Amino acid sequence: MSGLSRRHLLAGAAGLTAAAGLYGSADLVRSAAGAGQRREQALRIGYLPITDAAPLLIAHSAHLYPAGSVSSAKPVMFRSWSGLAEAFVSRQVDVAHLLMPMAIQLRQVLGANVRVLGWNHTNGSALTVAPDITELEQLIGTQVAIPFWWSIHNIVLQKLLRAHDITPVVRRTASRAKRTVELIVMSPSDMVPALANRSISGYVVADPFNAIAQIKKIGRIHVFLGDVWREHACCVLVTRDDVIAERPHAVQAVTDAVVAAQLRIGTDRPRAAEALTTGSYLPQPLPAVRTALAYPDPPYQFQRPDWSPQLVGFQPYPYPSFTRRLVEEMHETVVDGDRGFLDTLDPARAHSELVDDTFVLNSLAAQGGRHAFGLTGLDRTEQVHLL
């Protein structure tokens, strides 16, 4: 990391700067390059206020983190992915949930210092559109918001658009004649008001922002991404290699707590929603969080009921097949920024280079094995269905 330059970081992590959310870049690079920087004994957790973060937050609410492993203060809330990524890279937080493609990007750019410990959740995102839009073709010639360039949201949305002969574009005005849709990055909290004032025609993002749009009747859920890519990972539990090297027992304790919290959420989702809102972990109203975790309102007709779908699922094991397929899709995805890191990103090697499943396998064993989460094995075939 000593050779990391400001130019390299900003060019390689273009998604951060392009989202206009990364500030203090020179300080970020100095922090990222300082290998011997002193840290607090207890690990610090960062998150975005979305239901994807529920396991990290419920683990804190239910006092599942052992004393001394994690800071006793509440996890630190950030409003944008770029802000959370900056805090993670600059060592302001030690553990976070990050978008899986973002974690891949950061590792490629920053080298061997970003490590995925396991999945934080599956599914949990949707394409929400203006109330009068009922077909994807109605998005042609408009703007659609995504939370980050390197996100499962952007990847799946682009696959859906192309399946309908619609071309996603960036930094180009959308054209009805050319059947294009312009994609723009927007913080999740800004998406609902943007849809309300019709400056965008839709957005693809994690809940509870889809639920909020339906409850306020300013938008409708067009499709849950879990109906397109079965039980895909969106956010993953990440730390850094130096944290693992210096505090392996604390990393195991955090992973144990997150896995236990995932089981707890599955047992009583309405209670989890109440804990997230009354405990001020999430700023959204209880009805929206409860809808996102427990049931859609109005009821959503799943396109693939044979997939036994959930709005959002919670299981921690990181399937290698998903990482491989995700990297393949990243090579096909349009972004606003430097794509140079993709030149050396091999789908066959990406999982072993990024993921350390040692801790999550220990946690699964402690919770009764993979069967506690309904997992029949530790490999699978990815199922993608373009509607």
Side-chain angles (χ1 to χ4, degrees), residues 7-345:
R7 179 176 178 274
H8 185 193
L9 180 66
L10 296 184
L16 301 181
T17 54
L22 184 58
Y23 54 87
S25 299
D27 292 336
L28 168 61
V29 174
R30 283 194 292 271
S31 296
Q37 182 176 352
R38 177 183 177 274
R39 289 192 305 276
E40 295 177 2
Q41 187 73 1
L43 302 182
R44 295 152 297 181
I45 292 176
Y47 74 100
L48 238 65
I50 51 180
T51 48
D52 297 357
L56 284 167
L57 305 176
I58 292 298
H60 185 271
S61 171
H63 307 290
L64 299 178
Y65 295 122
S69 64
V70 172
S71 172
S72 59
K74 275 188 177 181
V76 182
M77 183 170 66
F78 296 84
R79 292 292 183 176
S80 69
W81 285 114
S82 52
L84 178 55
E86 178 188 11
F88 175 74
V89 172
S90 62
R91 293 177 167 81
Q92 297 172 49
V93 296
D94 304 298
V95 177
H97 68 118
L98 289 183
L99 298 161
M100 178 79 166
M102 174 194 282
I104 294 173
Q105 176 205 24
L106 289 177
R107 183 170 180 85
Q108 289 295 115
V109 173
L110 300 179
N113 204 31
V114 178
R115 186 68 64 179
V116 170
L117 299 172
W119 288 3
N120 211 46
H121 70 102
T122 60
N123 300 341
S125 299
L127 170 61
T128 292
V129 296
D132 58 318
I133 294 177
T134 58
E135 303 291 338
L136 279 178
E137 282 73 10
Q138 292 174 264
L139 298 177
I140 296 172
T142 71
Q143 287 185 328
V144 175
I146 60 175
F148 200 78
W149 291 117
W150 293 117
S151 66
I152 193 71
H153 313 90
N154 187 29
I155 291 169
V156 172
L157 174 61
Q158 291 193 25
K159 288 184 69 66
L160 280 174
L161 293 175
R162 292 192 181 101
H164 288 257
D165 193 30
I166 302 170
T167 302
V169 296
V170 299
R171 289 197 179 185
R172 283 165 38 199
T173 302
S175 165
R176 292 200 61 81
K178 296 180 180 179
R179 293 183 62 84
T180 61
V181 169
E182 182 184 6
L183 304 182
I184 59 172
V185 168
M186 187 176 290
S187 294
S189 58
D190 293 331
M191 291 180 177
V192 174
L195 185 63
N197 65 31
R198 299 305 294 267
S199 60
I200 58 174
S201 61
Y203 56 75
V204 57
V205 75
D207 262 321
F209 296 101
N210 306 292
I212 289 173
Q214 289 217 153
I215 289 172
K216 292 187 173 183
K217 302 187 185 305
I218 62 171
R220 53 171 292 274
I221 294 174
H222 182 74
V223 61
F224 279 100
L225 300 195
D227 264 339
V228 180
W229 192 330
R230 184 176 187 178
E231 295 178 358
H232 63 275
C234 173
C235 294
V236 289
L237 182 67
V238 299
T239 189
R240 297 183 303 274
D241 280 348
D242 57 289
V243 176
I244 293 175
E246 296 174 13
R247 299 289 314 283
H249 296 296
V251 172
Q252 185 65 68
V254 168
T255 309
D256 289 345
V258 168
V259 172
Q262 289 175 322
L263 281 176
R264 180 180 288 250
I265 295 168
T267 300
D268 193 339
R269 287 171 176 251
R271 184 177 179 182
E274 185 173 350
L276 291 171
T277 52
T278 58
S280 300
Y281 295 98
L282 296 183
Q284 299 89 1
L286 176 59
V289 177
R290 187 168 51 218
T291 295
L293 280 181
Y295 49 82
D297 183 21
Y300 171 79
Q301 298 299 315
F302 287 101
Q303 303 298 307
R304 292 302 304 258
D306 55 312
W307 285 359
S308 302
Q310 295 176 314
L311 301 185
V312 58
F314 298 97
Q315 79 82 13
Y317 182 70
Y319 285 100
S321 60
F322 176 78
T323 308
R324 184 169 57 252
R325 179 66 181 270
L326 181 64
V327 170
E328 292 170 353
E329 298 296 346
M330 288 174 70
H331 280 277
E332 303 299 321
T333 302
V334 175
V335 301
D336 181 10
D338 180 32
R339 297 165 50 87
F341 74 93
L342 292 172
D343 295 341
T344 57
L345 187 53

